[in-house]
Amino acid sequence: MLVVGAGPAGLAAAAEAARSGAAVLVVERDRDPGGILNQCIHDGFGLTLFGESLTGPEYATRQIDEARRQGVRLSQNATVLSIRRDRTCEIVSPRGHERLRPGAVVLAMGCRERSFGSLAIPGARPAGIYGAGAAQRLINLQGVMVGRRAVILGSGDIGLIMARRLVLEGAEVAYVVEKLPYAGGLARNVSQCLNDFDIPLALEHKVVEVLGRGRLSGVRIARVDELGQAVGGTERVVECDTLLVSVGLIPENELTRSAGAAMDGASGGPQVDQRLTTSIPGVFACGNVLHVHDLADWASLEGRRAGEWAARYAREPWTGEETTPMPRAAGPGKPVPVSRGTGLKYVVPQRLAVGEAATLHFRVSEPRRRTTVVVKADGRRLSSKPFAYLAPAELAAVEIPALPEDTRGVLVSLD
Amino acid sequence: MTAAYDVAVIGAGVVGLATAREILRRDISVVVMDKDDDVGRGASGRNSGVIHSGFAVAPGTLKAHLNVRGSRLMRAVCAELNVPFDEVGTLVVAADEDEADALPRLRDNGVANGLTDLRMIDTDELARLEPSVAGHVALFSPEGAIINPFTFVLRLADCCLANGASIAVGTEVEGLSPLRDGWQVATSGGVIEAAVVVNAADVNAPDISSVAGGERYESFPCRGEYLVLDREARNVPRRMVYPVPPSEGGLGVHFTPTTSGNTLIGPSTEYVDSQEDHATSGQVLARLMSEAKALCPGFDPTDVIASFAGVRAKISKGAYGAADFVVEESRKAPGLINAVGIESPGLSSAPAIAERIAELVGARFADRPVRKHFAAGPVATSRLPGASAEGEIICRCEQVTRREVLDALDNPLGARSLAAVKARCRAGMGRCQGSFCMPRIVDILRHERGVHIEDITLRGPGTELFTGETKELLR
Ligand SMILES: Cc1cc2nc3c(=O)[nH]c(=O)nc-3n(C[C@H](O)[C@H](O)[C@H](O)COP(=O)(O)OP(=O)(O)OC[C@H]3O[C@@H](n4cnc5c(N)ncnc54)[C@H](O)[C@@H]3O)c2cc1C
Ligand SMILES: Cc1cc2nc3c(=O)[nH]c(=O)nc-3n(C[C@H](O)[C@H](O)[C@H](O)COP(=O)(O)OP(=O)(O)OC[C@H]3O[C@@H](n4cnc5c(N)ncnc54)[C@H](O)[C@@H]3O)c2cc1C
């Protein structure tokens, strides 16, 4: 079995698969395994998985040790360049260029940041504009300081965490600027990273221009209306030499698309069933490549499931593009499509095999108080779960029992 | 002692470098100077990369002659320099019957310029060729081609160096005084002497001409802004697609594929106050989006990965082709050869401009023999994905290896900014815009090439990226 990416999801998948007897190779393009966690030196990781608060590198170390104990092989500085439909993986590394055709593949490539360039914000492209994640790497792993006075665009978790980091490094943070009327990150990050450090959060604002030619000298910000358009007369210049951009994460699915897997535009990842199988036989996906998780622990839990099923597939492949109930493979059953009602941004998995219980993960499009999530199969209520508060920043889950053989469709909706 | 050359070329863009390369076919010593810290930072690195076949320029002008000849020479020059030349073809699309009236005029114009394979395309064929384009009918020029202008400039520079030229980057020309037999050139890096000066300073060429006591030209810097689309963008054309040229000048907002598989939308046409105004503006970017939608309704704005701008060296306001190129020896300042007003299609015309200037220069050095071992072009290194490629990937989007980044950093010009790396090996050009590779390149610069953190720049001096090490601000 081959796992692409040694982050929390890939390492968990690898360890789980190896535990059940599979021979596992993890291919990681970075010098060190651990994924994005290596640069997350703050704590708060591992509460679900290990029952204690760890830093990112501590969490990663535990996972790496566990994978090694299970006999997982790790190939570092190695990038998977392409995957074919027949699972042939093309890998390039300092050791050469090779092709492998494993019995199963787990995609765990994580995600990348939406770039400043994609926002088409006018200006002369001065120095001093960084992705928040890139700045996190520069500061935490490479010991390089990016600037003295910063504005942070976007209040996602990485933006919030970097606001605090900059202050701890002796820089000033003039503002965190957020287009929406609420913060994009977790409530605990707003409190621990902004409020505790008196960093102002400018809600319903956006950066409309970057100033300066050589180095950034400031940004022009403006209030926005409900449509996200700048309101005339509310513009003002905030002086700064640094702009960190944290405007969303995009699942890194170049490989998935190169393999020809069916994608879900809403989640940004491939379509999967509850076994985390993509539309390509023997190719599984988990972690941020499937949909962006808020917590590494959840990515790892998903990784475990992907690892378990991938190992089974490698041992005893089930046929056809459609998942059939396992272990009693009763012939190719049609997967049941999952659709979502209004107010839901996405639901994973996008299709379900009958005869197996499942956990559905979803995000809402806008914050909601006191709401109930209802799952119905062909109009019949399967399960429901009340929530006191749901925000787009918080990934939520609902469990459902096994679907009967003849189910035609599942609908997830908000009450 | 003052360094002395036969020829000093001001400006290391396509015109300056292509000219130097032609001059070097004879045993003539050449220096090319540029104020920026790398070659190709002016218009030559800020354009559509289109080799126009020449149907849009006014017949009988020098511009028409140089465009048609230049684009034909370009194919051979690209072959010599190992620069991919991709004949994707050009479509000028009329949105409706009214606009369609303009097409035969364009075709006749092209025929007058000597083009033989222009043809009209009907609605069905247009839909078949470019299903993403909304249009009525079109004019098709199969000869329209694209090149990568960064690679072209860099290979020209390599070729000049291989034939013994000096290229002085970071050297701004500040003054020109006539000597009895040539020029004294005052630069930010000291004084040099040259028998002949070639003014290829593009937007600054009018200033250079006046400083030297040559003819005076007006200057109307005219900005063009672009959007860059992801390689995976769907519902965009495969060929170059232009609207019918608008009356206010320029060629209209068009779609241009790049040789790397991206798509450009633009450029706009805006007169600006400064020759160096490479900023993008909010209104224009918004207009590019909406005009692009009109031409190509399925275009998805979330496919935008970057925006940029370049400035055209216009010497007259007016419709496309209102002013002609000036490529001649100054009458008022003999020994100064001017290339002025080299706006679009200057890239396409560059080989012909170079040929013309080299003839003028050659006339003064008629006794010089042809260079015995003229190296027409350097050989390119192989690129991923190739069967034997190996290495650590530094840029994930463009799949650039550590070896390629090191080769880019070790360039003979000593340009070590991130932009210099990007122009040479594409690291940072992809959809993540350097978020992934920038920290890695910074590590290589620091630890493998010994560059001090504070000296690491985005685009040369003035664009420093870092304040120093972490914890320094706390001291
Ligand atoms: C910048 C950033 C900061 C974050 N901060 C926090 C935080 O503070 N707290 C928190 O709980 N969560 C945080 N998260 C989210 C959390 O880290 C993720 O939920 C978790 O890391 C996802 O795990 P993963 O294994 O899916 O992806 P990743 O950790 O991203 O791991 C993916 C791995 O795959 C490798 N890879 C990708 N493509 C290839 C390929 N083609 N070939 C070989 N290898 C490849 C990558 O190098 C990487 O190591 C952050 C995420 C990001 C992007
Ligand atoms: C938006 C845009 C789109 C275009 N699209 C196309 C196209 O698709 N096809 C086409 O054929 N043409 C196109 N053109 C035109 C083409 O790009 C230019 O005609 C061509 O690049 C000009 O080359 P150059 O060498 O004269 O100028 P440049 O590349 O600008 O080189 C001039 C150099 O001189 C240097 N310099 C200036 N002053 C001094 C000084 N005092 N001392 C030292 N150095 C100095 C500058 O730094 C610069 O590097 C476009 C132009 C623009 C702006």
Side-chain angles (χ1 to χ4, degrees):
Chain A
M1 201 183 104
L2 187 141
V3 179
V4 191
L11 287 170
E16 190 65 29
R19 193 172 297 127
S20 68
V24 185
L25 173 68
V26 181
V27 180
E28 167 56 54
R29 67 183 168 196
D30 221 323
R31 202 164 310 175
D32 300 303
I36 210 75
L37 294 191
N38 287 325
Q39 66 188 59
C40 299
I41 62 173
H42 52 279
D43 68 350
F45 297 88
L47 290 167
T48 309
L49 214 63
F50 300 109
E52 55 182 307
S53 175
L54 305 172
T55 64
E58 286 170 338
Y59 182 106
T61 305
R62 290 205 187 182
Q63 281 202 305
I64 296 160
D65 291 348
E66 172 61 13
R68 290 231 158 91
R69 250 196 316 277
Q70 299 297 340
V72 168
R73 276 204 305 136
L74 256 170
S75 181
Q76 285 139 246
N77 287 329
T79 300
V80 178
L81 288 182
S82 68
I83 301 179
R84 287 215 303 255
R85 234 191 132 69
D86 67 358
R87 292 194 302 278
T88 302
C89 301
E90 183 194 12
I91 303 166
V92 68
S93 77
R95 298 167 290 285
H97 183 257
E98 55 182 327
R99 286 202 163 76
L100 296 178
R101 187 168 179 269
V105 172
V106 175
L107 304 174
M109 290 89 76
C111 60
R112 64 186 161 87
E113 298 187 279
R114 198 166 158 211
S115 75
F116 174 77
S118 71
L119 301 176
I121 295 179
R125 297 167 302 289
I129 302 173
Y130 303 89
Q136 190 179 45
R137 184 181 174 104
L138 285 163
I139 294 174
N140 293 350
L141 290 183
Q142 299 178 206
V144 175
M145 190 58 189
V146 294
R148 292 191 171 77
R149 184 177 152 90
V151 165
I152 294 177
L153 175 57
S155 63
D157 288 312
I158 310 168
L160 300 178
I161 283 166
M162 284 312 293
R164 174 175 68 182
R165 182 90 239 130
L166 287 177
V167 171
L168 292 174
E169 287 295 340
E172 221 184 308
V173 176
Y175 277 108
V176 174
V177 177
E178 170 60 57
K179 202 160 95 174
L180 297 172
Y182 48 87
L186 299 172
R188 76 162 193 224
N189 283 335
V190 175
S191 129
Q192 294 173 8
C193 300
L194 299 192
N195 301 350
D196 290 358
F197 291 84
D198 293 328
I199 298 170
L201 173 60
L203 293 173
E204 299 183 288
H205 274 74
K206 70 176 185 181
V207 171
V208 295
E209 187 182 0
V210 296
L211 308 170
R213 262 162 206 276
R215 176 84 193 193
L216 185 70
S217 63
V219 296
R220 198 184 301 282
I221 67 173
R223 203 149 54 69
V224 295
D225 59 21
E226 310 78 67
L227 299 172
Q229 300 296 328
V231 177
T234 64
E235 298 192 349
R236 79 199 137 105
V237 171
V238 181
E239 277 177 35
C240 59
D241 66 0
T242 306
L243 177 67
L244 297 196
V245 183
S246 174
V247 290
L249 299 172
I250 303 172
E252 182 137 334
N253 275 301
E254 280 78 7
L255 279 182
T256 322
R257 276 191 291 265
S258 82
M263 303 296 295
D264 176 357
S267 65
Q271 297 182 15
V272 292
D273 59 18
Q274 69 266 57
R275 296 172 183 181
L276 302 163
T277 323
T278 65
S279 65
I280 300 175
V283 177
F284 298 76
C286 57
N288 279 354
V289 81
L290 183 56
H291 58 121
V292 176
H293 294 63
D294 327 319
L295 296 173
D297 297 57
W298 287 45
S300 293
L301 289 174
E302 201 171 73
R304 278 187 188 165
R305 269 192 301 133
E308 180 194 330
W309 283 109
R312 279 217 213 178
Y313 186 94
R315 232 175 10 248
E316 192 186 335
W318 53 89
T319 49
E321 290 204 18
E322 287 111 45
T323 319
T324 60
M326 277 274 284
R328 8 160 221 109
K334 244 191 147 14
V336 179
V338 178
S339 44
R340 62 195 142 90
T342 49
L344 287 168
K345 199 166 162 216
Y346 68 77
V347 180
V348 173
Q350 293 83 351
R351 52 193 161 81
L352 292 162
V354 297
E356 279 170 32
T359 304
L360 306 181
H361 287 100
F362 61 90
R363 274 178 207 276
V364 290
S365 327
E366 274 162 29
R368 290 193 175 240
R369 283 185 197 288
R370 276 193 295 280
T371 182
T372 301
V373 174
V374 180
V375 187
K376 289 183 179 164
D378 297 339
R380 191 172 54 82
R381 183 179 279 237
L382 273 182
S383 83
S384 65
K385 187 171 173 183
F387 290 88
Y389 181 69
L390 276 177
E394 336 240 340
L395 186 64
V398 54
E399 320 260 308
I400 57 163
L403 298 178
E405 211 61 56
D406 55 354
T407 310
R408 284 195 312 276
V410 166
L411 173 69
V412 185
S413 55
L414 294 173
D415 211 359
Chain B
M1 207 189 78
T2 321
Y5 298 87
D6 294 324
V7 179
V9 178
I10 307 173
V14 280
V15 172
L17 290 167
T19 299
R21 178 174 179 269
E22 282 311 307
I23 295 172
L24 287 161
R25 287 183 192 270
R26 280 179 192 254
D27 215 343
I28 296 173
S29 68
V30 178
V31 61
V32 184
M33 296 168 287
D34 202 289
K35 62 178 171 45
D36 289 335
D37 78 321
D38 198 0
V39 298
R41 277 290 157 68
S44 300
R46 302 166 173 280
N47 57 61
S48 311
V50 176
I51 306 308
H52 293 284
S53 54
F55 59 79
V57 283
T61 58
L62 179 63
K63 194 180 266 180
H65 170 72
L66 295 174
N67 181 176
V68 173
R69 176 149 180 85
S71 61
R72 290 193 175 146
L73 289 173
M74 189 60 106
R75 179 192 298 272
V77 176
C78 283
E80 284 174 345
L81 295 174
N82 205 349
V83 173
F85 179 93
D86 196 351
E87 219 168 67
V88 289
T90 308
L91 285 164
V92 180
V93 175
D96 50 33
E97 306 239 339
D98 283 353
E99 282 194 6
D101 292 345
L103 297 182
R105 216 169 352 101
L106 265 182
R107 183 194 51 201
D108 296 347
N109 205 56
V111 171
N113 287 339
L115 301 185
T116 51
D117 51 4
L118 294 169
R119 67 187 175 90
M120 304 301 278
I121 301 273
D122 65 18
T123 314
D124 288 348
E125 192 176 358
L126 178 59
R128 213 168 41 246
L129 289 178
E130 294 295 353
S132 62
V133 171
H136 180 51
V137 292
L139 175 69
F140 182 45
S141 171
E143 273 182 300
I146 51 173
I147 64 168
N148 178 332
F150 306 109
T151 313
F152 185 60
V153 167
L154 290 167
R155 293 276 158 79
L156 282 174
D158 285 347
C159 180
C160 290
L161 291 171
N163 290 300
S166 303
I167 298 180
V169 288
T171 304
E172 177 158 4
V173 172
E174 290 161 347
L176 284 163
S177 347
L179 300 173
R180 191 152 39 89
D181 205 12
W183 295 93
Q184 191 182 60
V185 186
T187 79
S188 56
V191 175
I192 62 151
E193 284 176 12
V196 175
V197 168
V198 175
N199 173 12
D202 196 50
V203 279
N204 297 327
D207 298 343
I208 297 282
S209 181
S210 341
V211 163
E215 288 73 5
R216 292 186 174 272
Y217 301 94
E218 284 196 280
S219 171
F220 301 97
C222 178
R223 187 166 66 194
E225 301 183 29
Y226 288 95
L227 297 168
V228 186
L229 303 189
D230 194 340
R231 268 194 295 194
E232 284 184 15
R234 274 166 306 165
N235 302 322
V236 292
R238 288 174 22 241
R239 296 171 182 78
M240 294 179 261
V241 172
Y242 293 72
V244 167
S247 48
E248 73 270 16
L251 290 172
V253 171
H254 49 268
F255 283 78
T256 309
T258 74
T259 51
S260 318
N262 300 81
T263 302
L264 301 177
I265 293 177
S268 58
T269 304
E270 320 149 53
Y271 291 96
V272 288
D273 296 333
S274 154
Q275 272 91 348
E276 312 288 328
D277 191 350
H278 295 147
T280 53
S281 69
Q283 285 135 340
V284 172
L285 292 180
R287 210 177 63 224
L288 292 183
M289 299 259 188
S290 66
E291 287 185 24
K293 269 259 183 234
L295 203 52
C296 225
F299 146 70
D300 179 357
T302 66
D303 282 325
V304 171
I305 61 168
S307 47
F308 70 96
V311 177
R312 303 177 185 86
K314 280 189 184 286
I315 51 173
S316 137
K317 285 195 185 190
Y320 189 73
D324 208 352
F325 286 167
V326 177
V327 182
E328 61 193 20
E329 179 159 357
S330 167
R331 260 157 309 219
K332 290 170 72 183
L336 173 72
I337 299 175
N338 276 325
V340 180
I342 313 299
E343 51 168 313
S344 186
L347 175 65
S348 318
S349 312
I353 297 174
E355 192 182 56
R356 191 177 176 92
I357 298 178
E359 267 166 33
L360 295 172
V361 172
R364 291 186 155 240
F365 297 99
D367 54 328
R368 298 291 174 86
V370 168
R371 195 176 293 273
K372 273 226 182 61
H373 300 289
F374 180 76
V379 184
T381 49
S382 70
R383 277 270 300 144
L384 269 181
S388 66
E390 60 181 69
E392 181 191 341
I393 300 284
I394 297 292
C395 165
R396 65 176 164 196
C397 303
E398 301 295 319
Q399 301 187 342
V400 182
T401 62
R402 164 178 294 275
R403 180 74 260 151
E404 290 172 296
V405 170
L406 288 172
D407 286 347
L409 284 173
D410 297 339
N411 65 75
L413 301 177
R416 282 184 163 179
S417 65
L418 293 183
V421 175
K422 181 165 147 178
R424 286 169 175 81
C425 67
R426 287 190 61 77
M429 286 252 192
R431 61 179 65 94
C432 95
Q433 290 287 297
S435 240
F436 182 85
C437 64
M438 182 270 278
R440 288 164 171 81
I441 296 171
V442 166
D443 249 1
I444 294 176
L445 276 166
R446 276 179 83 193
H447 301 302
E448 290 176 46
R449 289 299 176 268
V451 181
H452 202 268
I453 307 176
E454 281 120 84
D455 296 334
I456 297 176
T457 68
L458 182 61
R459 277 193 301 268
T463 61
E464 285 72 19
L465 283 161
F466 307 114
T467 58
E469 294 195 18
T470 46
K471 307 291 178 286
E472 273 175 19
L473 296 182
L474 295 170
R475 271 176 217 140

